Amino acid sequence: MNLGIDNLPSACDVLVIGAGPAGSAAAITLARAGLDVVLVDQHAFPRDKVCGDALIPDAHHACAKLGVLDEVMAQAQASGFVGCIGPRGGRVDVPGLLAVLPRKQLDLIVCRAAVAAGARMFAPARFTAPIEASGRVVGATLHHGDITREVRARWVLLATGAVPQALLAAGMSSRHTPSGVALRGYVRCDAMVGRVTALEIVWHRALAPGYGWIFPCRDGVFNIGVGIADSHNEHKDGKLTKREVNLRQVMNDFQKVYEPARELMQGGTLLGPMKGAPLRCTLEGARYTRPGLLVIGEAAGSTYSFTGEGIGKAFETGIHAAEAVLAGGAKLEADAAVDTRVRADYEARLLTLKPRFDLYQRANIVNRHPWLADLLIWRANRSPRTVRRMSGVLNETSNPGNLVSVKGFTRLFLDRG
C-alpha cells in the first residue's frame, strides 16, 4: 500500500481518485469482480479526515456488504442511542445501530480491503486534470512533488470529497461553495467515560443554524464539534456567499450552553488542533457523470444536510458506481453504447436516493429554529410511537422531513401512542 507515484502504471481498467469511503468501496467492488483497479489519494495512508465519525445504520449495512464490518466494529466504540438535546435541556435517547470510529482508522480499514481485493494503491498522488479524447475522459494526470504521471483508464471515478478543486479541474462542479461547514477535535477525558455513552447532538439558538455534538470514541477519547448547515446559501450580487459565522466562536458558545461540552474541554486534553472542513450535501453541487467519468461520494454531495452524516451514503455511491460499471461492461476500448448505459444506470441510482436527501434538507428547519427540537423532544418523552418514528429516521424507515412538517407536528399532538 502507498506505492509512490513513480510506480504508477500507464493504464488500467478503472482509475479511482480518492481512497476514502466512496473510492475504496468502489475499488473493493470492482477489484473483486476481476477488474484492474488503480486507487490513488493525495495523502499517504493512514491520514486524518475531519468528520464526526458517526456510523449510523446505513454505514453498518454498507460495511457488511463490503465485508469489513467485523474489523470496523472491533476498533469502533459501539453505542445504542443518539441523545437529542434541546435548547431547554430536554433530552430523548433514540435507539439505533450506532458506532463511532475515527476516520483515520475507518478509511485505513476500507483502503486495505481494496488492496486485499486486488486494487493497487498509490499515494500521495494529486489529481490535476482529466485526459480527454474525442469528448471522452480516458484517464487522468496525477502529480506529486516534481513528478507528473498520466494513467489511461476505461473509467475514471472521482471521489475527491468536498473541496471543489478536483471537480473544477474535471469540469464537473456546478457549485463552487460548500453546503455547510464543520469544526471538530478529539479530546481525551477519563472523567467523562461512562457519562457520555450515546452520540449526543445538541440544538440551541446560540448554535443556529447548526448544532453541536459529542460522540464517544474508545479509550476515553471523544469527538466534539459544531456544524453549520446552509453556511453558503445567502445570495449577494447573484452569487452564493458565506454566512457571517465564526466556527470557533460557535464552539465557544457550545461550551457555554452545554455543560458536558464545557467539562470535556476544560477537564480533558485536546489531541491535536481543532480542524474545520466544508460539507457538500443533498446530492447537489456537481454533475454526476460525463463520458468516461463518474463522480462519487461527497464530491457528488453525499452528505445529509440536517445531520451532517455522510459516511454511509458515500459508501453507497461508490458501490452504485462500481455496480453500474460492471453491469455496463468495462471494456478497455471506448464504446459509446456502454458509456450511455453506465451513465444512465448510475444517475438513476443516485436519483432514487435524492428524495431522502431532499427530506433531510427540509428537516434543516430544526437547525434554523431549534425551539422545534424542544417541541419534538417534549412529545417524544410522552409518546413511544414518536420515539419509534425518530428511530426510523436513523434506520431509513421513516422520513425526517415528515417529523418537522406542519402535518408532522399536527400528528405529534394527535398521536396518543
Side-chain angles (χ1 to χ4, degrees):
M1 209 165 91
N2 284 331
L3 296 172
I5 188 173
D6 52 336
N7 295 307
L8 269 167
S10 60
C12 61
D13 290 336
V14 182
L15 172 62
V16 182
I17 301 170
S24 290
I28 290 169
T29 306
L30 292 164
R32 284 179 179 166
L35 272 63
D36 179 15
V37 180
V38 169
L39 178 63
V40 302
D41 198 277
Q42 65 177 332
H43 300 292
F45 275 50
R47 56 96 174 98
D48 195 17
K49 173 70 175 178
V50 177
C51 184
D53 301 331
L55 302 175
I56 66 173
D58 63 350
H60 287 254
H61 298 153
C63 285
K65 184 171 184 175
L66 294 168
V68 297
L69 182 59
D70 288 346
E71 186 176 359
V72 166
M73 292 307 296
Q75 298 185 35
Q77 176 63 51
S79 178
F81 299 92
V82 172
C84 300
I85 299 102
R88 294 181 178 272
R91 175 181 179 133
V92 62
D93 285 335
V94 180
L97 182 64
L98 307 161
V100 182
L101 181 63
R103 287 285 300 277
K104 187 173 185 178
Q105 296 169 255
L106 175 69
D107 290 10
L108 182 60
I109 289 171
V110 291
C111 184
R112 281 177 171 168
V115 172
R120 291 177 287 170
M121 168 68 174
F122 299 86
R126 180 172 56 87
F127 169 77
T128 56
I131 302 170
E132 301 181 45
S134 302
R136 187 182 188 281
V137 174
V138 295
T141 301
L142 302 160
H143 180 79
H144 178 69
D146 58 356
I147 301 174
T148 299
R149 291 286 186 271
E150 290 187 350
V151 179
R152 302 277 172 153
R154 176 67 180 90
W155 284 98
V156 175
L157 273 54
L158 201 61
T160 49
V163 177
Q165 279 76 7
L167 285 171
L168 291 167
M172 302 301 287
S173 178
S174 59
R175 171 176 170 155
H176 298 180
T177 57
S179 311
V181 290
L183 179 74
R184 75 97 176 97
Y186 294 108
V187 178
R188 186 184 302 278
C189 186
D190 292 338
M192 298 297 286
V193 175
R195 292 180 58 191
V196 177
T197 57
L199 281 65
E200 296 190 345
I201 301 178
V202 180
W203 289 274
H204 194 280
R205 62 183 178 275
L207 309 178
Y211 50 88
W213 73 78
I214 302 175
F215 295 163
C217 306
R218 287 197 164 187
D219 302 320
V221 175
F222 297 83
N223 181 318
I224 181 171
V226 292
I228 299 294
D230 296 333
S231 63
H232 290 68
N233 275 0
E234 292 192 350
H235 287 265
K236 184 177 181 181
D237 299 328
K239 296 181 179 180
L240 291 173
T241 60
K242 185 178 179 180
R243 292 177 183 269
E244 293 298 326
V245 60
N246 184 319
L247 277 177
R248 294 190 180 276
Q249 183 58 54
V250 176
M251 186 68 198
N252 290 337
D253 291 339
F254 183 30
Q255 296 172 57
K256 291 177 182 177
V257 302
Y258 190 55
E259 184 175 349
R262 182 168 62 254
E263 292 183 14
L264 182 63
M265 294 299 289
Q266 292 180 353
T269 301
L270 189 62
L271 305 178
M274 300 290 293
K275 294 183 178 181
L279 305 173
R280 294 180 75 90
C281 304
T282 320
L283 289 180
E284 294 178 348
R287 296 163 55 196
Y288 299 152
T289 74
R290 60 182 290 196
L293 186 145
L294 308 178
V295 177
I296 62 177
E298 197 170 15
S302 64
T303 296
Y304 281 144
S305 58
F306 172 43
T307 61
E309 195 283 326
I311 296 173
K313 287 296 174 285
F315 277 135
E316 288 183 26
T317 63
I319 294 170
H320 282 318
E323 290 177 344
V325 168
L326 293 172
K331 301 175 183 177
L332 282 176
E333 67 275 12
D335 186 315
V338 170
D339 260 17
T340 300
R341 188 161 59 245
V342 170
R343 293 175 62 198
D345 185 1
Y346 177 56
E347 291 185 5
R349 290 166 182 260
L350 291 190
L351 289 177
T352 63
L353 299 176
K354 188 64 166 67
R356 177 162 294 275
F357 280 86
D358 292 341
L359 288 165
Y360 271 80
Q361 176 66 19
R362 186 194 304 173
N364 254 342
I365 190 173
V366 174
N367 293 329
R368 295 190 296 269
H369 305 287
W371 61 269
L372 292 172
D374 273 331
L375 185 59
L376 187 59
I377 291 166
W378 173 83
R379 183 54 185 157
N381 282 317
R382 289 160 177 78
S383 168
R385 184 177 299 174
T386 300
V387 176
R388 289 196 296 271
R389 288 168 61 195
M390 294 173 73
S391 181
V393 171
L394 282 176
N395 292 309
E396 299 195 323
T397 58
S398 297
N399 292 328
N402 291 343
L403 281 174
V404 295
S405 64
V406 173
K407 181 179 179 180
F409 278 116
T410 301
R411 288 177 62 188
L412 290 180
F413 289 97
L414 295 177
D415 186 356
R416 300 183 182 277

